[in-house]
Amino acid sequence: MTRRPYVAGNWKMNLDRASAVALARAVREHVGAQAPYDCALFAPAVYVAAVAEVLAGSPVKVGVQNVHDMASGAYTGEISVAMAKDVGAASALVGHSERRALFGEADAFLAKKAKAVLDGGLELVFCVGETLAEREAGRTEAVVETQLRLGLGALPRTDWTRVAIAYEPVWAIGTGRNATPAQAGEVHTFLRALVGKMVDAATAEALRIQYGGSVSAANAAELLAVPGIDGALVGGASLKIESLRAILDAARR
Ligand code: 13P
């Protein structure tokens, strides 16, 4: 089966309103009315509405980088799935290593968020990845398996059509040191087989697995050429239209 490539930009806590809007406009222009890949921009929550306005009528979607699992209530500083959707978000990231490591988000909480995202009608990009110490200890597969099983193990099969997984080795994020195509490819193959066991073979075959971690204009083509790498989740290089364009072009395969 050929899976439609899926390239997403995770802007993290960067840009201001004017530059977010300008960047979204440039992406919209580059992608055009139709492209042979899917594209989403995960904007800071406060700019989602402005970016959604720019992207209206375009195949490029806007997403949020974080949501809370509860629908409403006394959760100062948080936003619900319904709120994100209300301002135009089509998708949400859950399980990013920065949320796990810097904000203490544990697997059980991430599972609740993933469920809330899907129950709320959004698409989900669920991130997994090992630290350098875990890789060096030979624990990469065990770590991503635990993250995936605890995060998405309870999802009904029908929800998986709105799920993408991002494999983001922590040691590759923001370091300029990307996983090699072979290293990423191995983990993608492992994750797809795991989803085959957790859900079923057809779901595993249809699932898009993005690679994230120092994806750049220079390395995108060789990473995306690996059969099990179905796209990219791009941090730093998604903040500049020149590099993002090159990565999108690498997804035209
Ligand atoms: P970089 O592309 O900056 O390494 O970030 C990757 C990432 O964390 C995307 O979610």
Side-chain angles (χ1 to χ4, degrees), residues 14-237:
N14 292 297
L15 305 174
D16 56 19
R17 182 188 163 101
S19 52
V21 163
L23 186 51
R25 199 167 278 138
V27 173
R28 176 187 174 139
E29 210 161 282
H30 188 70
V31 171
Q34 54 182 41
Y37 51 76
D38 291 336
C39 178
L41 301 172
F42 289 90
V46 290
Y47 302 140
V48 165
V51 169
E53 197 176 314
V54 167
L55 297 177
S58 153
V60 182
K61 292 176 177 173
V62 62
V64 283
Q65 299 167 16
N66 185 37
V67 285
H68 198 267
D69 70 297
M70 300 300 282
S72 64
Y75 302 99
T76 300
E78 293 295 318
I79 62 168
S80 71
V81 172
M83 289 171 184
K85 200 174 169 189
D86 193 24
V87 294
S91 185
L93 292 181
V94 174
H96 194 281
S97 68
E98 287 151 19
R99 300 297 317 174
R100 292 176 188 267
L102 304 176
F103 302 100
E105 296 191 358
D107 294 305
F109 184 42
L110 298 173
K112 286 190 205 167
K113 288 192 189 210
K115 180 178 179 342
V117 164
L118 293 163
D119 287 351
L122 296 185
E123 294 178 2
L124 172 68
V125 176
F126 189 81
C127 308
V128 298
E130 82 289 0
T131 63
L132 187 58
E134 289 164 342
R135 172 163 284 263
E136 286 174 346
R139 296 188 51 234
T140 297
E141 293 185 354
V143 167
V144 297
E145 173 161 2
T146 300
Q147 291 172 335
L148 201 63
R149 283 192 184 277
L150 295 181
L152 303 184
L155 294 186
R157 192 179 52 79
T158 48
D159 273 0
W160 280 85
T161 55
R162 289 182 291 128
V163 174
I165 291 174
Y167 168 56
E168 298 207 311
V170 177
W171 48 272
I173 297 177
T175 58
R177 178 185 168 197
N178 61 285
T180 64
Q183 284 174 322
E186 263 175 33
V187 180
H188 284 227
T189 299
F190 174 79
L191 287 167
R192 196 175 308 285
L194 176 59
V195 171
K197 285 187 268 178
M198 286 169 58
V199 194
D200 59 31
T203 299
E205 188 59 24
L207 176 73
R208 270 103 53 94
I209 307 179
Q210 300 172 320
Y211 167 75
S214 297
V215 174
S216 68
N219 63 26
E222 59 169 1
L223 285 160
L224 293 174
V226 176
I229 301 182
D230 309 311
L233 183 56
V234 186

